Amino acid sequence: MQSHPRNAQAAIKGRGSTSHLAGRFESTVSEAVDDGWAIDHSEEFLAPRLRTEVRAETARSIISRNNSPDVGFSQSVNPYRGCEHGCSYCFARPSHAYLNLSPGLDFETKLFAKTNAPQLLRKELSKPGYVPQPIALGINTDAYQPIERKLKLTRQLIEVMLETKHPFSLITKNALVERDIDLLAPLAAENLVSVHFSVTSLDPHLSAKLEPRASAPHARLRAMKRLHDAGIPVGVMVAPVIPWINDSELEAVLEAAHDAGAGTAGYVLLRLPLEVAPLFRDWLDTHHPDRAAHVMSTIQQLRGGKDYDSQFGTRMRGQGVYADLLNNRFKLARKRLGFNAQNSHWPQLDCSRFQKPLPPQKESPQGSLF
């Protein structure tokens, strides 16, 4: 199956998407039409600047559970919906369609903050039947995306983890995680936390196109080194690996992360579920039109002739000659650099220290007398 040529969209500074692609549940779809005024670059005809909007959300639950054999964890917590990092390939983009919002530009400009997340986490951990298992923090969207600097929901969640001695791991593209070393270090001393950095490329120019509002690659490596020096176990995820875009950097990323203190390593092949496929095609046509067809042809060879195959066991790695070659390269580099050779890049954390919090007190319907 060959990819068909598409009309390239203009890149938007600081954004990964180029359009408000309609979600799969929309009943009406709008389409841009060239009315001939594009040649006029006066201020009157310029598109309005896209600003980030953050809406408060009162969540009904905070711990999500899964039984996937691919991900290495069974429960996760996500304090935010949408992500300002704007990664063009983000597998979480289709989730915005459930909100009747675009998985394209809306996903990175219309964000939702679960303002009651810390209180909900304490409540769910206090339930009588709760059995502690490591929590993956910020898996669907980055828990350290730029709005965390102000809202501090992730920091409050970590404070609950520290209070209850609950084990957790997190993965991020943002050096903001350095801010919370004071909480993470004592957790690490009791084998209760691990931190993983997603590093897609060491090239700042490529990184700025792929993930425009994430920390620069050198800033992530610097943060990795600082956490390692503070005694916090760190790892690296080369994710995603994109054929003919960043695949040549696999060994270089692993080596740079190892030098920064990473003890574990993993990689994930590019995934294009649902609306992510057309969004990524637009990204290719915008930034790499010369190789767009070659990239998509290789991806389809890895996915049984389709843009994506969700089958457990292969969705993270793909199938075929290219997939086998990539896996062999990774294993050789991991062995040469001395990374932990365990099958999972998620380390074993201690669940025996968990201290169940007291359940929140119910307010009297008469109110307080004092």
Side-chain angles (χ1 to χ4, degrees):
M1 182 185 298
Q2 298 293 324
S3 59
H4 299 286
R6 302 161 65 88
N7 295 324
Q9 302 289 327
I12 302 174
K13 185 177 181 180
R15 301 298 180 186
S17 301
T18 58
S19 69
H20 288 90
L21 176 75
R24 58 195 181 281
F25 304 118
E26 296 293 334
S27 57
T28 60
V29 178
S30 60
E31 182 178 348
V33 176
D34 182 5
D35 59 4
W37 291 105
I39 58 173
D40 191 323
H41 299 292
S42 63
E43 185 174 348
E44 179 182 358
F45 293 96
L46 290 177
R49 180 182 177 187
L50 287 169
R51 298 184 181 276
T52 300
E53 302 175 14
V54 183
R55 308 177 190 179
E57 175 184 346
T58 302
R60 289 179 291 182
S61 62
I62 197 61
I63 299 179
S64 301
R65 293 176 172 84
N66 75 86
N67 57 2
S68 169
D70 294 327
V71 295
F73 58 86
S74 60
Q75 52 185 19
S76 59
V77 169
N78 295 284
Y80 303 108
R81 294 181 192 262
C83 186
E84 196 177 5
H85 282 164
C87 303
S88 57
Y89 49 77
C90 182
F91 67 87
R93 284 182 176 274
S95 62
H96 248 45
Y98 292 106
L99 305 173
N100 287 324
L101 293 171
S102 166
L105 287 169
D106 284 348
F107 178 80
E108 51 194 284
T109 61
K110 298 184 186 301
L111 313 179
F112 294 81
K114 301 175 185 178
T115 52
N116 63 333
Q119 294 78 15
L120 261 183
L121 179 60
R122 183 176 283 106
K123 179 180 179 181
E124 293 189 25
L125 296 184
S126 70
K127 291 181 178 179
Y130 179 77
V131 178
Q133 298 179 55
I135 285 175
L137 180 56
I139 290 296
N140 202 45
T141 57
D142 204 310
Y144 282 102
Q145 59 179 289
I147 58 174
E148 166 63 17
R149 189 176 300 278
K150 178 180 179 181
L151 299 181
K152 299 182 179 179
L153 289 176
T154 298
R155 182 174 176 85
Q156 293 175 55
L157 288 168
I158 295 176
E159 288 173 341
V160 176
M161 305 286 195
L162 180 60
E163 172 194 333
T164 60
K165 297 187 181 297
H166 195 292
F168 72 101
S169 294
L170 60 88
I171 184 166
T172 184
K173 294 177 181 290
N174 204 307
L176 178 59
V177 66
E178 291 181 53
R179 178 200 65 188
D180 295 334
I181 286 178
D182 62 316
L183 300 178
L184 297 170
L187 282 159
E190 299 188 74
N191 190 29
L192 293 172
V193 69
S194 63
V195 178
H196 309 269
F197 288 83
S198 175
V199 182
T200 312
S201 170
L202 299 179
D203 180 353
H205 300 290
L206 176 58
S207 180
K209 295 174 183 177
L210 280 168
E211 40 206 19
R213 298 202 178 190
S215 296
H218 69 272
R220 294 179 222 179
L221 293 170
R222 182 191 62 216
M224 187 184 296
K225 181 68 164 61
R226 290 179 177 171
L227 266 66
H228 169 73
D229 290 346
I232 301 163
V234 292
V236 63
M237 280 292 292
V238 188
V241 176
I242 307 172
W244 318 119
I245 298 294
N246 69 338
D247 53 346
S248 63
E249 295 189 67
L250 177 65
E251 291 84 357
V253 171
L254 292 174
E255 185 169 355
H258 182 265
D259 291 345
T264 58
Y267 77 95
V268 176
L269 192 67
L270 177 69
R271 299 167 56 195
L272 299 176
L274 302 171
E275 292 94 345
V276 184
L279 288 167
F280 185 73
R281 285 174 179 270
D282 285 342
W283 183 89
L284 282 173
D285 290 333
T286 300
H287 297 285
H288 295 284
D290 57 326
R291 68 184 89 166
H294 190 31
V295 171
M296 291 308 302
S297 174
T298 303
I299 290 172
Q300 289 165 357
Q301 292 172 39
L302 290 162
R303 304 295 189 187
K306 300 179 291 186
D307 287 346
Y308 184 57
D309 180 6
S310 60
Q311 183 177 346
F312 286 152
T314 59
R315 61 178 181 155
M316 302 292 190
R317 296 286 186 268
Q319 301 180 77
V321 175
Y322 178 98
D324 293 341
L325 176 61
L326 187 67
N327 192 41
N328 289 335
R329 286 173 55 196
F330 171 76
K331 288 181 177 179
L332 287 171
R334 183 179 64 182
K335 181 178 180 180
R336 173 174 59 85
L337 294 167
F339 279 107
N340 190 325
Q342 61 186 3
N343 291 329
S344 172
H345 61 273
W346 300 98
Q348 296 298 312
L349 300 174
D350 189 353
C351 295
S352 67
R353 300 175 183 271
F354 176 62
Q355 299 174 0
K356 192 180 295 290
L358 293 174
Q361 294 183 346
K362 293 183 179 180
E363 293 186 5
S364 167
Q366 293 182 325
S368 175
L369 300 177
F370 302 97

